[in-house]
Amino acid sequence: MTDLTITAETREAATQEALRRLRLPLEALEIEWSEEEPDGLLAGARPFVLMNVRISLDYVAGVVAECVRNLLERMEIRAEVEVQCPDDFVLVGISCDRQENLIGHRGETLDALQHLVIRMTHMGGRDMPLILLDVGNYRKRRIERLRRVARDLANLCLENDREEAFDPMDAIDRKVVHTLLKSVTGVKTYSRGEEEHRHVIVAPDK
């Protein structure tokens, strides 16, 4: 999630501005502070505080889990919902007796439900973490395969100092790859190609 930076004369003023912009409770925010001391200011300038704030991943996970539970209840599906936050994304696991109905043909029903949850839980007009719904480890197995390939391609990129390409994949898988590799030092990722040929490139970050 992208940080929001706010400058104000006091911490209280900065906090109130963050709450106004994001329209979220204080417990939803992760805050880091820095202060400009008088000795470091130009003559006549007032001391100020600098606030870097982002929406807590744990808070997002809780909101998403509650949304999924409510949707499943409306669909009259009895299920257990478990949420995890690996690699800075939210993974919601669903266990139920009608797994094939929730997954659908090639995961189409699961993708639609996931899209609905993302729309319903978008908050504060800010960038959100990647949110994934999983049923019977259908998505988790795919993530583990992508993780192995991403690690191998990142290592090749670093060893050979050249771009490496994934096979074409859908938008969800591309987002997973971007998220998995964003914290790897020395590489960057971007997408290339159109429609069914669109794929992820791992490139040296110089």
Side-chain angles (χ1 to χ4, degrees):
M1 288 176 287
T2 304
D3 288 358
L4 173 65
T5 301
I6 295 175
T7 302
E9 292 186 6
T10 66
R11 292 192 175 193
E12 175 63 24
T15 301
Q16 292 303 317
E17 178 64 14
L19 296 176
R20 184 188 68 80
R21 291 193 195 180
L22 296 174
R23 302 186 299 278
L24 294 171
L26 184 60
E27 60 267 23
L29 308 182
E30 293 180 352
I31 299 171
E32 293 182 357
W33 297 99
S34 61
E35 299 188 20
E36 184 65 38
E37 299 295 337
D39 292 342
L41 296 171
L42 297 174
R46 296 182 178 180
F48 63 86
V49 297
L50 186 66
M51 175 195 212
N52 287 321
V53 58
R54 63 166 47 193
I55 304 172
S56 165
L57 189 62
D58 288 339
Y59 180 83
V60 175
V63 171
V64 170
E66 185 63 24
C67 176
V68 171
R69 292 188 183 99
N70 290 337
L71 280 175
L72 293 175
E73 183 177 347
R74 294 179 185 179
M75 296 167 67
E76 298 183 349
I77 296 177
R78 297 181 61 181
E80 293 184 5
V81 175
E82 180 182 2
V83 62
Q84 300 175 343
C85 298
D87 301 293
D88 289 332
F89 60 82
V90 177
L91 179 63
V92 182
I94 303 171
S95 299
C96 65
D97 295 331
R98 296 162 56 185
Q99 293 184 357
E100 64 282 356
N101 291 343
L102 278 180
I103 294 173
H105 180 61
R106 295 184 178 179
E108 292 177 354
T109 303
L110 184 60
D111 288 347
L113 183 61
Q114 178 175 287
H115 180 73
L116 178 60
V117 170
I118 291 172
R119 292 288 300 270
M120 293 177 66
T121 57
H122 187 72
M123 55 188 70
R126 308 299 300 176
D127 291 338
M128 294 287 287
L130 178 61
I131 296 172
L132 298 173
L133 268 59
D134 193 16
V135 176
N137 290 326
Y138 173 85
R139 191 89 74 191
K140 191 172 184 179
R141 289 191 294 269
R142 178 63 176 167
I143 292 172
E144 290 307 314
R145 289 195 293 270
L146 289 173
R147 190 193 306 277
R148 289 193 295 270
V149 176
R151 182 178 59 244
D152 291 344
L153 289 185
N155 288 336
L156 283 174
C157 174
L158 292 171
E159 290 172 5
N160 300 321
D161 192 31
R162 70 183 186 193
E163 293 185 352
E164 299 290 342
F166 283 80
D167 291 334
M169 60 182 71
D170 62 28
I172 293 175
D173 284 352
R174 292 198 304 272
K175 289 179 182 178
V176 170
V177 170
H178 289 309
T179 302
L180 290 173
L181 292 180
K182 71 178 181 180
S183 61
V184 176
T185 302
V187 302
K188 60 183 178 181
T189 61
Y190 63 94
S191 293
R192 176 189 293 168
E194 300 295 332
E195 299 180 355
E196 69 271 15
H197 302 294
R198 195 158 179 80
H199 58 282
V200 175
I201 300 294
V202 186
D205 187 15
K206 297 180 179 180

